[in-house]
Amino acid sequence: MHVATVLGDLGYPSLLVESSTELGGRVRRLSGTFPFFGDPGFSDGEAFAAEIEADMRARASVDVRLETTLAGLEGEAPHFRAALSDGTDEPVSAVVVATGFEPFDPSDLEEYGYRRYANVVTAPELEWMLSTRGPTGGELERPSDGGPVNRLAIVFCVGSRNRRIGAPFCSRICCSYSTKQALMVQKRNPDAEVVCFYMDVRTYDRGFEEMFALAQERGIRYIRGRVSSCKELPGGDILVRAENTLMQRVVHDRFDMVSLSTGMRPCLHVDELSRTLGIGRAPDGFFASRAWFRYPHDSTRMGMFIAGCATGMKPIRNCIGDGNAVAARIAALLRSSSSDPVVAARSGV
């Protein structure tokens, strides 16, 4: 959406293709976006996405096609022809791939008991529980019996930094969003005890380290060590076994609920989209850049650009920055060509 907004400001029309029924992707289900400085005043993801959409729709030069996918693409830049699932065939000069990510499914990691134990949830599920638009109006309740969550364990790096499952990479934002969730749980229930089990805390972006420090100041505990098992006890509590690598001892603790901070994977139909567009992928499965240092938003094919989490995991603010950069790259391409400029901005598959 931001690419289309900036291109509209530059005088270039866009065709935005979205596979779902609404724009905004996963951001709309966020209970709160990350803070940058000071005390966290988390803003609702729905409101944030709506603001971006309103800015974009104010440009008459953006043609939005919901519940539509790309069926095929022919030609070369700047003379592509895009076949859409709604039966139309559109000429476009450039293509933007902004397909986001898919959360890792931890069902196969049996040590955590996800889908076997009702009170073991994933971070996206916890996020929706904390939303005022969620099933409980933002009140944190145990899935098994609706009881209060007075003791919550958050397990970092589930599906990331794990060579055993072919995911040696860091998902980059999990430590930060988990810390945000811990603060939001505490805000909902000031008496709640939140314990985070981590490998290393990597809150790398501007203001995120301050958020991590604030969490510690407010009594959220961080234990360095991998969780080796989660076991359901009578009544639904979860017994967590982990190694505290700083204290060099094994920890056993009982919690009302456990949240798994799942890493990120490429969008579900990344293979199909890569073939349709004729663009390459990096070893981590996300789309590859033709020149990572100089042109990180240029795909491996001329006239096709990649933005947001299509290139890998990153915070929302960085995705917005990608939108600015991609719009500039497209404007440069179109200025150097003599074609009538039309841009296809893709979201979804």
Side-chain angles (χ1 to χ4, degrees), residues 323-335:
N324 291 324
V326 167
R329 293 294 298 144
I330 291 172
L333 170 70
L334 298 182
R335 285 191 63 182

Side-chain angles (χ1 to χ4, degrees), residues 101-104 157-160 171 174 177 261-265 313:
F101 66 91
E102 184 69 18
F104 173 72
C157 294
V158 176
S160 301
S171 287
C174 307
Y177 79 59
S261 296
T262 47
M264 282 63 175
R265 296 293 185 272
M313 296 68 65

Side-chain angles (χ1 to χ4, degrees), residues 40 42 150-154 156 175-198 201 210-224 255:
F42 302 113
N150 295 316
R151 301 200 77 229
L152 172 69
I154 300 180
F156 287 24
C175 294
S176 298
Y177 79 59
S178 299
T179 295
K180 179 210 74 171
Q181 289 181 332
L183 284 166
M184 296 193 77
V185 168
Q186 190 183 68
K187 185 176 182 180
R188 299 284 195 276
N189 180 2
D191 296 324
E193 182 180 359
V194 183
V195 180
C196 300
F197 294 90
Y198 71 97
V201 177
E210 292 89 332
M211 182 174 65
F212 172 48
L214 179 65
Q216 294 175 90
E217 290 169 9
R218 294 190 174 178
I220 293 167
R221 293 171 55 204
Y222 287 80
I223 296 177
R224 189 176 190 275
F255 296 92

Side-chain angles (χ1 to χ4, degrees), residues 16 23 62 84 95 99 129 152 203 219 244 249 266 273 291 303 309 337:
L16 198 153
L23 300 174
V62 182
L84 305 182
V95 177
T99 48
M129 292 178 188
L152 172 69
T203 49
N244 186 326
R249 63 185 180 89
L273 187 56
C309 292
S337 71

Side-chain angles (χ1 to χ4, degrees), residues 90-172:
E90 303 288 348
V92 296
S93 301
V95 177
V96 181
V97 183
T99 48
F101 66 91
E102 184 69 18
F104 173 72
D105 184 346
S107 300
D108 291 337
L109 301 181
E110 296 183 358
E111 62 267 32
Y112 298 121
Y114 179 65
R115 296 196 190 280
R116 286 189 289 124
Y117 308 145
N119 294 325
V120 175
V121 302
T122 63
E125 291 168 341
L126 174 61
E127 189 73 22
W128 189 234
M129 292 178 188
L130 291 169
S131 174
T132 56
R133 295 170 286 109
T136 60
E139 296 296 324
L140 189 57
E141 299 176 357
R142 296 206 318 177
S144 65
D145 54 15
V149 178
N150 295 316
R151 301 200 77 229
L152 172 69
I154 300 180
V155 183
F156 287 24
C157 294
V158 176
S160 301
R161 301 181 66 190
N162 188 335
R163 294 184 182 277
R164 177 170 61 91
I165 62 172
F169 51 82
C170 171
S171 287
R172 296 185 67 195

Side-chain angles (χ1 to χ4, degrees), residues 279-348:
I279 58 177
R281 294 165 62 191
D284 60 6
F286 291 86
F287 292 108
S289 305
R290 72 172 177 88
W292 177 249
F293 286 102
R294 293 190 63 199
Y295 300 109
H297 303 102
D298 290 33
S299 77
T300 57
R301 185 178 178 186
M302 181 67 176
M304 296 192 183
F305 302 89
I306 44 181
C309 292
T311 69
M313 296 68 65
K314 65 194 68 171
I316 296 171
R317 190 172 69 94
N318 295 42
C319 294
I320 296 292
D322 282 1
N324 291 324
V326 167
R329 293 294 298 144
I330 291 172
L333 170 70
L334 298 182
R335 285 191 63 182
S336 66
S337 71
S338 58
S339 65
D340 181 23
V342 177
V343 179
R346 284 190 39 76
S347 175

